[in-house]
Amino acid sequence: MDKKKVFILIVACKLCLSVEVCQAQAIMKYANRSRPVLPPIAKHENPFVGPSLYITKITYADPKALIETMRPLFPQIPMSIDARTRSLTVLADSATYKKISKVIETIDIPSKQIHIEVKVIEVGGQFAQNYQSLFSDLTSGFKVNFDFAKNQLIPLSSIEGTLMAMIKKGDAKMLSKPTISTLDNSKASFKVGDQIPYLSTKIHETFVSYDYLTLDTGITLDLTPKITTENQVQLDILAQVATVKLWKDLGPSEYPVVSNRKTETRVYLKNEQTLMIMGLLDEQNKENTSKIPILGDIPWIGGIFRSKSEEKVMTDVVVLVRVDIQKEKALE
């Protein structure tokens, strides 16, 4: 074969190879055009791994309140709470669970403690009248040293000092001085009073029966402190007073007539401030009974042998409430 024929054969082969490459490129271009483009898979995700089951122990928060907070934030994530073991169970992928964990860390923290000191002082009925201008009126005759228009406490350091001096002189009486520590946004209750015994008489056809009963009287305070972001305390107050106004003679026995008063309010105190509640005024008609022994106790006709006299006694009770936010301490 001469050189001319060899050259022609080489050119022909190159032409054939070029045509085949062009055909292959055209086929690949058409195939790519008809095939959908898939998004790239992130390196940290595995599309073949499903959600996992996570169990988290709740230490401080109320489990039921916590799950009610979580569900609106993650509506598509199955979760349940076991109140007995304080455990939260979540079915989610790792990325979602990391978000859930951050929310739990924010909510599941120990509550601050608040120390509440209460002083209950009995004074004369004229005491409240001397300081009426420094108090705001509430319902049922109660008063507090709080300016609701300015939303701030009215300082009464001089009055508190006057009360302590009156106690030393015997012009006032410290009825009770309870203290209690409670958690933030938790109710604390105080009760100062007496159980009044009285005789209940029942007349039957052939005999008379007697029962000794008791009646709870005094002052009940329900205090719910809540720490605000300004390091102040929002204090919700429910005050109730039950007193015996007089004794009624109903046949063979005397029965107490009880007066019940209550009020509710909300005030804001700075840490370590003292709130004063007044108006727990009590005007009692005290009856003094004298009788002829034995004859005065006879049913139905015993009243003939008894005589009574009434005496009005006016007293007031002042309640001092002091709040103190305790320093944070980890619960062991």
Side-chain angles (χ1 to χ4, degrees):
M1 184 180 295
D2 56 10
K3 293 182 179 180
K4 186 177 181 180
K5 290 181 180 181
V6 172
F7 176 77
I8 294 173
L9 183 59
I10 292 174
V11 172
C13 290
K14 287 183 178 182
L15 290 174
C16 291
L17 182 60
S18 177
V19 171
E20 290 179 358
V21 170
C22 291
Q23 289 177 346
Q25 290 176 346
I27 293 172
M28 291 297 296
K29 185 176 181 180
Y30 178 78
N32 290 334
R33 186 186 306 169
S34 60
R35 186 177 62 185
V37 179
L38 298 176
I41 298 175
K43 293 181 180 180
H44 63 278
E45 295 181 358
N46 189 341
F48 302 104
V49 177
S52 300
L53 192 66
Y54 298 91
I55 300 177
T56 303
K57 195 80 170 179
I58 307 302
T59 306
Y60 304 105
D62 180 3
K64 293 183 179 180
L66 184 139
I67 196 170
E68 292 300 322
T69 302
M70 301 290 292
R71 279 174 174 161
L73 299 177
F74 305 94
Q76 304 300 324
I77 303 301
M79 59 180 67
S80 63
I81 196 76
D82 182 45
R84 185 183 65 85
T85 61
R86 301 179 62 87
S87 300
L88 177 68
T89 303
V90 178
L91 183 64
D93 58 81
S94 60
T96 303
Y97 182 71
K98 287 181 180 179
K99 297 178 182 179
I100 294 175
S101 296
K102 289 183 179 179
V103 176
I104 294 176
E105 290 176 2
T106 303
I107 299 175
D108 190 29
I109 57 176
S111 298
K112 290 184 177 180
Q113 291 192 359
I114 302 173
H115 183 75
I116 302 176
E117 179 182 336
V118 178
K119 295 178 182 177
V120 183
I121 305 171
E122 185 181 64
V123 296
Q126 297 297 321
F127 180 83
Q129 297 179 6
N130 297 333
Y131 299 98
Q132 279 187 349
S133 60
L134 299 178
F135 288 81
S136 298
D137 293 328
L138 302 175
T139 58
S140 302
F142 293 90
K143 301 175 183 294
V144 291
N145 61 318
F146 190 81
D147 190 336
F148 290 95
K150 297 180 179 180
N151 205 31
Q152 65 183 19
L153 193 75
I154 302 173
L156 295 176
S157 56
S158 60
I159 298 181
E160 188 173 356
T162 301
L163 284 171
M164 297 302 107
M166 290 174 62
I167 293 174
K168 290 182 179 181
K169 292 180 180 180
D171 297 331
K173 181 181 179 182
M174 182 75 74
L175 298 180
S176 181
K177 191 179 177 181
T179 59
I180 192 172
S181 291
T182 184
L183 295 178
D184 182 24
N185 204 28
S186 297
K187 184 174 71 174
S189 296
F190 300 87
K191 183 173 178 62
V192 180
D194 300 306
Q195 285 190 328
I196 307 298
Y198 64 96
L199 182 65
S200 174
T201 305
K202 293 182 180 180
I203 301 177
H204 305 273
E205 292 183 359
T206 58
F207 65 96
V208 178
S209 63
Y210 300 92
D211 292 320
Y212 280 98
L213 304 177
T214 57
L215 178 69
D216 289 329
T217 62
I219 301 168
T220 302
L221 282 179
D222 292 335
L223 306 174
T224 305
K226 181 176 178 58
I227 301 172
T228 64
T229 55
E230 295 82 10
N231 202 33
Q232 292 183 337
V233 176
Q234 169 191 298
L235 188 63
D236 291 337
I237 303 170
L238 171 60
Q240 301 181 77
V241 179
T243 57
V244 177
K245 300 300 293 182
L246 54 88
W247 292 82
K248 284 290 186 181
D249 188 356
L250 300 175
S253 300
E254 292 183 332
Y255 292 89
V257 178
V258 181
S259 170
N260 290 288
R261 294 185 295 131
K262 75 173 184 177
T263 188
E264 293 183 68
T265 189
R266 171 179 292 176
V267 298
Y268 293 88
L269 307 177
K270 292 182 180 179
N271 190 31
E272 299 185 352
Q273 279 189 327
T274 300
L275 178 75
M276 184 177 293
I277 305 174
M278 297 179 64
L280 288 78
L281 203 62
D282 182 22
E283 180 181 349
Q284 296 187 13
N285 294 325
K286 291 191 175 181
E287 294 184 351
N288 299 317
T289 303
S290 60
K291 62 183 178 180
I292 299 176
I294 301 176
L295 295 178
D297 296 327
I298 298 175
W300 303 113
I301 63 172
I304 301 175
F305 305 97
R306 293 194 299 264
S307 63
K308 297 180 180 180
S309 62
E310 291 188 359
E311 179 187 2
K312 289 186 177 180
V313 179
M314 181 76 73
T315 59
D316 196 1
V317 176
V318 177
V319 179
L320 305 177
V321 180
R322 182 178 181 273
V323 294
D324 183 11
I325 302 174
Q326 302 296 291
K327 294 181 179 180
E328 293 188 33
K329 293 181 180 180
L331 297 179
E332 297 180 358

